[in-house]
Amino acid sequence: MQPEPAQNPDTVAGLGEFGFIERITGGRPQPSTTLLGPGDDAAVVAAPDGRVVTSTDVLVEGVHFRLDWSSPEQVGAKAVAVNVADVAAMGAVPTGLLVGLACPPTLTAEIADRMTEGMWQEASRAGVGVVGGDVVSAGSIVISVTALGSLQGREPVTRSGARVGDVVAVRGRLGWSAAGLAVLSRGFRSPGTVVGAHRCPQPPYQAGPEAALAGATAMIDVSDGLLADLGHIAVSSSVAIDVWAERMEVHQRLVDVASALGSDPLHWVLTGGEDHALAATFPSAAALPPGWRVVGTVKEGSGVTVNGRAYERPVGWEHWR
Amino acid sequence: MQPEPAQNPDTVAGLGEFGFIERITGGRPQPSTTLLGPGDDAAVVAAPDGRVVTSTDVLVEGVHFRLDWSSPEQVGAKAVAVNVADVAAMGAVPTGLLVGLACPPTLTAEIADRMTEGMWQEASRAGVGVVGGDVVSAGSIVISVTALGSLQGREPVTRSGARVGDVVAVRGRLGWSAAGLAVLSRGFRSPGTVVGAHRCPQPPYQAGPEAALAGATAMIDVSDGLLADLGHIAVSSSVAIDVWAERMEVHQRLVDVASALGSDPLHWVLTGGEDHALAATFPSAAALPPGWRVVGTVKEGSGVTVNGRAYERPVGWEHWR
């Protein structure tokens, strides 16, 4: 509420608000969907079919990431990835990102630049640009990203369309982030594949629109854990879902890590969050797009079971619970 | 990164993440532009002319608001108001809001509910709904709001269209928030009108589209202070702007408060931020919509002057500077 004195030029305070915004958005190539990019009161993004898909996620230092566990690039990339995955889970392609960044004035410009670089790298991987944002000072780092997307004329694939007799399928990695978290929590830094998976997910963005085209009846981004997120589909669709444990892909790397730590790799796969794979239901006659793996079926009733029985261990987790 | 134990049911931690989200979005009426509301991976909002205007602002406790100075309702309303004002400044009408809320798990449910109520009250005043969001735990309260809007077929009114010979006009209150901040900073709580203006701005949302219809060539939301924000138009449009001090409205209430505090009310009007009035340029022959007040002119050159001379005191402020 009061101006603060100019500070060290190597910090974001030294860059100044407008200087920092320029570092985030200046000189970056924007896709054709960006009709008016950063620099005005608001941006303008194309919404070719007259609708826009939109979602917001907030990442907090110490809660969603730790800068001693992840590089600034990985933190920036993760903030983008978790949001674009939500858009993909509706069957949409991303068209724009807005970034709200709160951080201490003492954050070094180097870390801020690297975080920004990670955001743009992941945005580029998703074919989208950062069209606007805000940077403010705060006691710790809070990154809020809003993703916009286009359904390209299709109906959104919601959580509520699963029908009895549909198959349940997944696309993308499951359990890897949980394995990486388990490794990091014990003070280890390797194996790099699972640790990297925790530091930044690799959602299969294009699989969302592909599933929509193939007739997916319901879809969700697996952020809380497969069983928990299938539970959201079951509730919204008023159906039961049974998962076949033997159909789940348990990668040898997860088996090895679990063995070393005395953990259960299947538990990571069934309940681990933050991988941002996609889970969807399809009519049983549908031809699934490449990479999708059938892991269960939709039945009458309610709730989620594994091999027909209740899963005994906690599934997923809520913030604060 | 780890589940936390259930806590006091009177706190947001006690509500749980999904319970809290339900409190924010459940049972609220949504306007017709909300095609798919909260509850799925993403929302779907109408973009009738094939484009969407979008802007993000972040408010941080202790930086942008203080809960001992403002009610939770005022904080919530302010978070919405500053964002919708950005959309209005493009000449657009708001069509949807997303809210990212980071807050301590110990925040009482009562304060959270009142903040939410303030958001919805202001959203309702703007004719828009909260279509989605995210709530996470953090050390202090950080509110990130993204506003979406529709240009209704018009071109966006940017900062870069001002032409030599245009008039400069303003709509909405200026200097009131600065006066309120001065009052609060000295430990007073009255007069309520100026204190209330600081606690929550009252942007003239509809004046944005009205100005666009009337042919505004450039427009900006006055968040940093009139001279600072006209400076942004001057730079973007490659013009100079001269403000006529005697044309500025200096309300008697500001004169009285300034007199009591030994301050200069015109300085508040020219440089005070956070009122979120609109400033625009119009062709000199344009018929200005109701409520707009001509306060200056666009000239050749660069920079912003008052009565043809440089303004000697600091104008506006940057975050961290």
Side-chain angles (χ1 to χ4, degrees):
Chain A
M1 299 186 170
Q2 291 290 345
E4 293 176 24
Q7 299 186 37
N8 182 343
D10 295 333
T11 65
V12 293
L15 291 177
E17 179 183 1
F18 299 123
F20 189 14
I21 292 177
E22 173 63 21
R23 294 271 271 254
I24 293 178
T25 58
R28 300 280 186 171
Q30 293 279 350
S32 62
T33 46
T34 305
L35 304 179
L36 179 69
D40 221 294
D41 288 297
V44 183
V45 175
D49 70 1
R51 300 166 300 170
V52 61
V53 171
T54 183
S55 173
T56 287
D57 276 299
V58 181
L59 269 59
V60 178
E61 183 180 13
V63 178
H64 301 91
F65 64 87
R66 288 172 50 168
L67 279 172
D68 57 338
W69 280 4
S70 300
S71 72
E73 289 87 348
Q74 287 167 328
V75 171
K78 182 174 183 174
V80 166
V82 301
N83 277 278
V84 176
D86 280 326
V87 165
M90 305 302 287
V93 296
T95 51
L97 300 170
L98 295 103
V99 176
L101 179 59
C103 66
T106 53
L107 185 73
T108 67
E110 186 217 341
I111 289 179
D113 282 346
R114 291 175 58 192
M115 210 179 292
T116 299
E117 186 58 33
M119 287 182 194
W120 275 98
Q121 280 174 3
E122 192 66 18
S124 172
R125 196 170 84 79
V128 70
V130 178
V131 302
D134 192 18
V135 293
V136 299
S137 61
S140 59
I141 303 175
V142 179
I143 310 174
S144 169
V145 175
T146 299
L148 308 179
S150 168
L151 290 162
Q152 302 180 313
R154 296 181 296 270
E155 286 305 299
V157 183
T158 68
R159 301 176 178 183
S160 60
R163 290 167 301 189
V164 174
D166 282 354
V167 298
V168 176
V170 296
R171 168 84 196 261
R173 302 196 299 196
L174 288 170
W176 286 70
S177 178
L181 177 59
V183 167
L184 287 165
S185 299
R186 311 260 179 124
F188 301 114
R189 291 290 181 276
S190 65
T193 44
V194 298
V195 169
H198 176 73
R199 288 169 171 159
C200 183
Q202 298 184 346
Y205 303 128
Q206 293 177 342
E210 286 170 7
L213 280 168
T217 52
M219 186 154 49
I220 194 165
D221 160 50
V222 181
S223 55
D224 296 330
L226 179 64
L227 299 184
D229 286 315
L230 289 178
H232 296 311
I233 288 183
V235 168
S236 296
S237 300
S238 301
V239 296
I241 288 177
D242 189 40
V243 173
W244 306 323
E246 68 279 11
R247 291 284 192 101
M248 300 304 308
E249 181 182 42
V250 184
H251 194 281
Q252 187 60 41
R253 184 57 51 93
L254 299 193
V255 174
D256 295 343
V257 171
S259 173
L261 299 181
S263 298
D264 173 6
L266 181 62
H267 183 66
W268 287 337
V269 170
L270 291 174
T271 68
E274 298 195 85
D275 282 303
H276 298 276
L278 292 174
T281 56
F282 294 87
S284 58
L288 267 54
W292 286 85
R293 181 184 188 97
V294 173
V295 299
T297 185
V298 178
K299 300 161 58 169
E300 288 186 18
S302 64
V304 177
T305 49
V306 178
N307 294 345
R309 304 175 61 174
Y311 191 73
E312 298 295 340
R313 300 175 61 178
V315 295
W317 61 285
E318 284 193 53
H319 233 73
W320 300 320
R321 284 281 189 195
Chain B
M1 298 185 169
Q2 289 293 342
E4 294 176 24
Q7 299 186 36
N8 182 342
D10 295 332
T11 64
V12 292
L15 290 176
E17 179 182 1
F18 299 124
F20 188 14
I21 291 177
E22 172 64 21
R23 293 271 270 256
I24 294 178
T25 58
R28 300 281 187 169
Q30 293 278 351
S32 61
T33 45
T34 306
L35 304 179
L36 179 69
D40 221 294
D41 288 298
V44 183
V45 174
D49 70 0
R51 299 167 300 170
V52 61
V53 171
T54 184
S55 173
T56 287
D57 276 298
V58 182
L59 268 60
V60 178
E61 182 180 13
V63 178
H64 301 91
F65 64 88
R66 287 171 51 167
L67 279 171
D68 57 338
W69 281 4
S70 300
S71 72
E73 289 87 347
Q74 288 168 327
V75 171
K78 182 175 183 172
V80 166
V82 300
N83 277 278
V84 176
D86 279 326
V87 166
M90 304 302 287
V93 297
T95 51
L97 300 171
L98 296 102
V99 177
L101 179 59
C103 64
T106 52
L107 185 75
T108 68
E110 187 217 341
I111 290 180
D113 282 346
R114 291 176 59 193
M115 210 178 293
T116 299
E117 185 60 31
M119 286 182 195
W120 276 98
Q121 281 173 2
E122 192 67 17
S124 173
R125 197 169 85 77
V128 71
V130 178
V131 301
D134 191 19
V135 294
V136 299
S137 61
S140 59
I141 303 175
V142 178
I143 310 173
S144 169
V145 176
T146 300
L148 308 179
S150 167
L151 290 163
Q152 302 179 312
R154 295 181 296 271
E155 286 305 299
V157 183
T158 68
R159 301 176 178 183
S160 60
R163 292 166 300 190
V164 173
D166 283 353
V167 297
V168 177
V170 296
R171 168 82 196 262
R173 301 197 299 197
L174 289 170
W176 286 70
S177 178
L181 177 59
V183 167
L184 288 164
S185 299
R186 311 263 179 121
F188 301 113
R189 291 291 182 275
S190 66
T193 43
V194 298
V195 169
H198 177 72
R199 287 169 171 157
C200 184
Q202 297 184 346
Y205 303 128
Q206 294 176 340
E210 287 170 5
L213 280 169
T217 51
M219 185 152 51
I220 195 166
D221 160 50
V222 182
S223 55
D224 296 329
L226 180 64
L227 299 185
D229 286 316
L230 289 179
H232 295 312
I233 288 183
V235 167
S236 296
S237 300
S238 301
V239 297
I241 288 178
D242 188 41
V243 174
W244 306 320
E246 69 278 10
R247 290 283 191 102
M248 299 306 307
E249 181 181 42
V250 184
H251 194 279
Q252 186 61 42
R253 184 57 51 93
L254 299 193
V255 174
D256 294 344
V257 171
S259 173
L261 299 181
S263 298
D264 173 7
L266 180 63
H267 184 65
W268 286 337
V269 170
L270 291 173
T271 67
E274 297 196 85
D275 283 302
H276 298 277
L278 292 174
T281 56
F282 294 87
S284 58
L288 266 54
W292 286 85
R293 180 185 188 94
V294 173
V295 299
T297 185
V298 178
K299 300 160 58 169
E300 288 188 17
S302 65
V304 177
T305 49
V306 178
N307 294 345
R309 303 175 61 174
Y311 191 72
E312 297 295 339
R313 301 176 59 180
V315 296
W317 62 285
E318 283 192 54
H319 233 75
W320 299 319
R321 285 281 189 193

